[in-house]
Amino acid sequence: MENFIDAFFNIDIMRQATPLLLKGAWVTLQLCAVVIFLGLFGGLGLALLASSKSALLRLPSFLFIDIFRAIPPLILLILIYAGLPFVGVRVPPFVAVCIAFLLNNSAYFAEIFRSGIKAIPKGQMEAARATGLSPAQAQAWVILPQAVRNVLPDLLSNVVEIVKLTSIASVVSLSELLYSANMARAVTYNSSPLVMAAGLYLLLLWPLVRVISRFQRGLSISH
Amino acid sequence: MTAAQPLPTLEITALEKRFGETQVLRSIDLKVQNGELVFVIGPSGSGKSTMLRCCNRLEEPTSGAIHVNGKPMLGIPRKELDRMRLQVGMVFQGFFLYPHLSALKNVTLAQRKALGRSKAEAEARALEMLDKVGLKHKADAMPSELSGGQQQRVAIARALALDPKVMLFDEPTSALDPELVGSVLKVMRDLRELGMTMIVVSHEMHFAREAADRVVFMDGGVIVEEGPPEEIFGNPKSDRLKAFLSRVSGEAA
Amino acid sequence: MDFFDAFLNPEIIATYLRPMVRAVWVTIWISVLVVISGLALGALLAGLRAYQKRWLSWPIVLFADLMRALPPLVLMLILFFGLPSIGIILNDWFVLYLILTLVLAAFVEEIFWATMTSLPRGQWEAGAATGLSFLQVLVHVIFPQALRMNIPPLVNRSLTISKMTAYGSVIGVKEIVSVAGSAQAFSGSATPLTMAALAYLIIFFPAMLLSRYIEDRFHYEH
Ligand SMILES: Nc1ncnc2c1ncn2[C@@H]1O[C@H](COP(=O)(O)OP(=O)(O)OP(=O)(O)O)[C@@H](O)[C@H]1O
Ligand SMILES: [Mg+2]
């Protein structure tokens, strides 16, 4: 037991690692802000293209969505970070992560927005057009607000997924939370910094996970 | 109890039910003899459903006793309760067929899992019951492909196939379009002809007049008046029953 | 031609084709195992939670929350680097398999639970009224409906977590990314990385199309 506490919950080591981890957590937060922003807007654009009437716009968007949902973001990231230098393009880790996440997250967000748009009855568009709105106006003021509200739980759970996903940036030595914690682990030969990082992730994500579960609550079970 | 009086098929004694503070049933006593059809009427919220649901313990009575063929429903272990429930068939207002199973499978499931019948035996019995409710040709249909009246008849077959001693009907036709009500009532009439013991909660007064042996009027969680249909409908004694009857006939008119 | 030379060099493809194919099998195997055990464990936990015993539900909810809130990569590193210091040594692939299974189980439990609580009460009661035991109602009435209603989210979640087998590269599992990574370092070419991306496309692109098809088909009506 003592051994266990020493290996995973060593207070001294945690205290030592705190400044490093907080710095890492700050990078993680910045990274999240940027990639969630990029993903939301990329996804929205893609979803609109994928919901368009013209097959010329629709098919490439679907292809994009499915390709980037099929490739794990980790390999995408490595390909950008370690592959591009072979053709003379050198990108800093932060930019590499942003590009990889833009490609991956846009695809996921697009799927969510698209399913929301698809679920809005056709009559809504027709009614909006009948009141003299242009297709774009109808889309912006009538369809999208309803669609977004309907898929809010899915958007939220995708945000949680993205925050967790930022931990893969550690693979390209971006000094975010997991990278910092793993550095501290390597230096101290002790896993407590990793546990501490887990605690910080929990602090951020547990409330969101609870909210998502609330969204899904139904009636009670009868025995 | 004298020797001449046979054991009631269903006996409710001093039944009480409270939901927290609210007393929903108080000192309910009711005996239903073999082959009898007891019809229960009463205003909304009077406790009719709660009484039926206590009979197979979908609702847990606060106190009192319930016996089926002399055997207790209360104070028995869970396993025993599952077996006792086989003796009490129940038909719900909302049908509650299992949407992922065909009509036939709906009727065979409990036969196989709760009664331990073989597949062949259960299917033979299910077809027999579906035939009885006039739906043998729909055996392979999914519930979503059936009308409300057909779904309710399958639900009746599902309960009947377990050879219950008594059948409880909780507003079996209330969720149906008017033109589908007749098919369900016909099945219930047939059952009565075959000697099934039944308690029916319903607003189909003409069915009560024609088919019930006894009508029970509930109000405010108590049995206010009971008697043969001619008496209850033709010569109501309590003011509450009179008021109730004039209200429903007013609605019907 | 710079580009093709760097990313799709035929010689390098030929050299590393065999190890890459082997790595693909490793990825597929671990994915299949994770999906099977994750679905089974998740369903089991949801079933246990249905008994509504506080001492059962509470740990299950805690487990599901933790597994959904923590990045799998963090969990893997904790297990992989932490356990040996208290004398437990696990295979790299087993750590990967274990963590992904637990994470999938957590999501599956939540998906099942949400449906189980939203099915009409009458479904439970109809089962009970016909003498089925609670367990029988769960297995024969509730689970089949929960499964059918949730095929799209279950498929999507399974695919997402299958792709996380790529995290195995961080702890040395010989799956696609790690084999491609060492091939890239060894050959001094980006081609193995492209091969890895293509390998995932070959495995998961059809799966994505399949999930699209399933989503259209299984609009389950109640
Ligand atoms: N689970 C419950 N919790 C609290 N109160 C309940 C519950 N079920 C029923 N009640 C209350 O018990 C009373 C009797 O309800 P019950 O459903 O038995 O009436 P009913 O005679 O069947 O009415 P209706 O004709 O509308 O079906 C009502 O006041 C109802 O609000
Ligand atoms: Mg009622």
Side-chain angles (χ1 to χ4, degrees):
Chain A
M1 190 61 203
E2 219 165 283
N3 205 349
F4 177 81
I5 290 178
D6 198 51
F8 293 102
F9 297 94
N10 190 316
I11 299 291
D12 283 338
I13 289 184
M14 283 188 179
R15 197 172 299 143
Q16 277 176 32
T18 300
L20 187 63
L21 260 67
L22 286 182
K23 232 183 258 166
W26 178 234
V27 175
T28 289
L29 284 179
Q30 290 173 308
L31 187 59
C32 288
V34 175
V35 295
I36 290 169
F37 178 84
L38 287 175
L40 272 173
F41 282 89
L44 192 56
L46 261 180
L48 289 175
L49 290 178
S51 315
S52 106
K53 279 207 197 71
S54 142
L56 217 62
L57 293 175
R58 217 171 48 228
L59 290 182
S61 345
F62 271 107
L63 198 63
F64 180 96
I65 292 173
D66 282 346
I67 286 180
F68 287 105
R69 286 198 312 158
I71 300 177
L74 181 61
I75 187 72
L76 213 52
L77 176 58
I78 296 176
L79 199 57
I80 291 165
Y81 182 71
L84 284 185
F86 284 94
V87 286
V89 184
R90 203 165 280 284
V91 282
F94 195 90
V95 177
V97 174
C98 287
I99 299 172
F101 273 59
L102 176 64
L103 295 173
N104 177 265
N105 299 349
S106 302
Y108 272 91
F109 273 127
E111 253 325 83
I112 295 172
F113 283 125
R114 197 185 62 83
S115 72
I117 293 171
K118 204 173 70 176
I120 304 295
K122 283 219 173 10
Q124 289 290 326
M125 179 54 112
E126 285 160 11
R129 295 297 310 280
T131 57
L133 296 181
S134 73
Q137 284 172 323
Q139 194 68 257
W141 303 115
V142 179
I143 307 296
L144 273 183
Q146 298 183 57
V148 168
R149 189 158 32 172
N150 290 345
V151 295
L152 217 49
D154 292 333
L155 290 176
L156 190 58
S157 47
N158 201 41
V159 164
V160 171
E161 290 307 304
I162 292 175
V163 175
K164 291 191 285 175
L165 196 60
T166 56
S167 62
I168 68 170
S170 59
V171 172
V172 295
S173 313
L174 180 67
S175 53
E176 46 69 75
L177 181 52
L178 180 58
Y179 181 83
S180 310
N182 203 30
M183 280 286 277
R185 176 199 62 79
V187 173
T188 58
Y189 295 103
N190 187 294
S191 296
S192 304
L194 287 174
V195 174
M196 198 177 164
L200 289 173
Y201 279 112
L202 273 187
L203 209 61
L204 184 60
L205 294 180
W206 203 342
L208 294 184
V209 165
R210 280 281 94 227
V211 170
I212 293 168
S213 284
R214 281 267 171 267
F215 271 127
Q216 303 165 327
R217 197 50 36 88
L219 308 160
S220 66
I221 288 174
S222 86
H223 279 254
Chain B
M1 190 191 291
T2 61
Q5 207 169 22
L7 195 61
T9 301
L10 180 77
E11 182 171 18
I12 301 173
T13 324
L15 178 66
E16 306 263 337
K17 174 65 185 173
R18 267 193 301 274
F19 287 110
E21 294 292 284
T22 37
Q23 178 111 24
V24 175
L25 296 176
R26 55 191 98 211
S27 56
I28 299 277
D29 288 293
L30 186 66
K31 278 184 200 164
V32 183
Q33 298 297 340
N34 189 23
E36 210 182 359
L37 192 161
V38 172
F39 199 93
V40 182
I41 57 176
S44 179
S46 56
K48 308 179 298 288
S49 297
T50 308
M51 181 182 78
L52 282 198
R53 292 160 58 82
C54 281
C55 289
N56 61 3
R57 282 177 65 188
L58 287 179
E59 224 58 87
E60 206 56 48
T62 308
S63 66
I66 290 165
H67 289 84
V68 177
N69 272 343
K71 290 210 219 77
M73 278 298 282
L74 305 185
I76 52 177
R78 176 79 219 200
K79 268 236 161 64
E80 181 65 20
L81 173 62
D82 289 338
R83 266 197 305 159
M84 284 300 288
R85 277 174 167 167
L86 287 166
Q87 320 241 334
V88 184
M90 177 125 187
V91 176
F92 302 86
Q93 179 177 350
F95 331 139
F96 300 128
L97 289 187
Y98 311 131
H100 61 297
L101 299 177
S102 68
L104 184 74
K105 288 252 162 63
N106 261 280
V107 184
T108 55
L109 180 68
Q111 290 190 66
R112 301 204 52 203
K113 303 301 169 187
L115 274 181
R117 285 184 184 151
S118 73
K119 185 163 189 253
E121 195 185 355
E123 283 182 357
R125 182 86 178 130
L127 286 173
E128 189 189 325
M129 289 303 136
L130 285 173
D131 195 27
K132 202 178 249 177
V133 300
L135 287 172
K136 196 174 177 182
H137 60 294
K138 292 286 186 187
D140 293 323
M142 298 305 278
S144 57
E145 300 160 355
L146 299 173
S147 75
Q150 291 172 329
Q151 289 188 49
Q152 190 60 297
R153 280 141 69 197
V154 173
I156 294 173
R158 174 171 74 181
L160 282 180
L162 300 165
D163 304 322
K165 298 288 179 291
V166 54
M167 288 279 286
L168 312 176
F169 293 84
D170 190 1
E171 306 203 23
T173 57
S174 298
L176 297 178
D177 292 339
E179 72 271 21
L180 300 176
V181 169
S183 65
V184 173
L185 292 182
K186 176 182 178 304
V187 168
M188 292 166 66
R189 216 171 281 130
D190 292 348
L191 275 181
R192 174 183 153 68
E193 295 306 313
L194 293 168
M196 173 58 74
T197 311
M198 305 196 256
I199 304 183
V200 180
V201 173
S202 166
H203 297 299
E204 306 289 339
M205 298 299 172
H206 58 96
F207 178 76
R209 273 176 208 276
E210 144 211 0
D213 295 298
R214 194 147 47 104
V215 177
V216 169
F217 170 63
M218 287 180 74
D219 193 6
V222 294
I223 295 181
V224 177
E225 206 173 324
E226 61 178 302
E230 319 74 79
E231 280 293 304
I232 293 289
F233 294 119
N235 185 20
K237 299 207 171 46
S238 64
D239 291 340
R240 286 203 266 179
L241 176 54
K242 283 178 195 157
F244 174 73
L245 287 176
S246 72
R247 213 164 47 236
V248 288
S249 63
E251 273 164 27
Chain C
M1 282 301 93
D2 233 16
F3 180 84
F4 275 97
D5 209 40
F7 287 100
L8 282 167
N9 183 321
E11 263 171 61
I12 299 212
I13 290 180
T15 315
Y16 290 105
L17 195 58
R18 282 174 71 98
M20 280 304 287
V21 169
R22 230 176 294 133
V24 165
W25 280 119
V26 171
T27 293
I28 289 179
W29 264 113
I30 295 181
S31 301
V32 168
L33 286 181
V34 163
V35 170
I36 292 172
S37 26
L39 287 174
L41 181 61
L44 178 71
L45 291 176
L48 290 175
R49 196 170 163 191
Y51 281 88
Q52 295 187 304
K53 300 267 185 279
R54 203 173 280 263
W55 56 271
L56 262 176
S57 314
W58 209 81
I60 293 172
V61 173
L62 184 67
F63 164 81
D65 276 10
L66 289 184
M67 290 299 135
R68 289 182 305 147
L70 286 171
L73 201 51
V74 175
L75 291 166
M76 278 165 45
L77 291 185
I78 291 178
L79 274 203
F80 188 70
F81 291 115
L83 286 186
S85 54
I86 55 167
I88 303 172
I89 297 185
L90 297 177
N91 276 333
D92 44 27
W93 71 265
F94 185 75
V95 170
L96 178 65
Y97 160 78
L98 183 67
I99 294 298
L100 295 188
T101 296
L102 296 181
V103 172
L104 179 57
F107 281 101
V108 171
E109 189 275 328
E110 278 299 304
I111 292 172
F112 265 81
W113 180 250
T115 312
M116 288 161 65
T117 52
S118 61
L119 281 179
R121 213 180 154 81
Q123 288 293 325
W124 297 83
E125 294 184 346
T130 52
L132 295 175
S133 70
F134 186 71
L135 183 64
Q136 285 172 326
V137 175
L138 210 53
V139 171
H140 298 291
V141 178
I142 303 302
F143 271 172
Q145 293 184 56
L147 191 64
R148 250 159 251 239
M149 292 167 75
N150 287 311
I151 285 181
L154 288 173
V155 168
N156 283 339
R157 190 55 71 176
S158 298
L159 289 176
T160 306
I161 290 179
S162 294
K163 286 188 300 165
M164 290 181 186
T165 49
Y167 296 171
S169 59
V170 176
I171 55 173
V173 181
K174 295 269 168 286
E175 49 63 68
I176 296 173
V177 179
S178 88
V179 169
S182 30
Q184 178 239 335
F186 200 77
S187 65
S189 158
T191 302
L193 298 179
T194 319
M195 291 171 75
L198 289 176
Y200 277 108
L201 268 183
I202 292 170
I203 304 173
F204 287 104
F205 191 76
M208 289 299 149
L209 296 184
L210 182 73
S211 87
R212 239 177 232 302
Y213 168 78
I214 287 172
E215 223 153 284
D216 286 343
R217 243 211 90 202
F218 281 80
H219 263 297
Y220 187 73
E221 284 155 54
H222 203 74

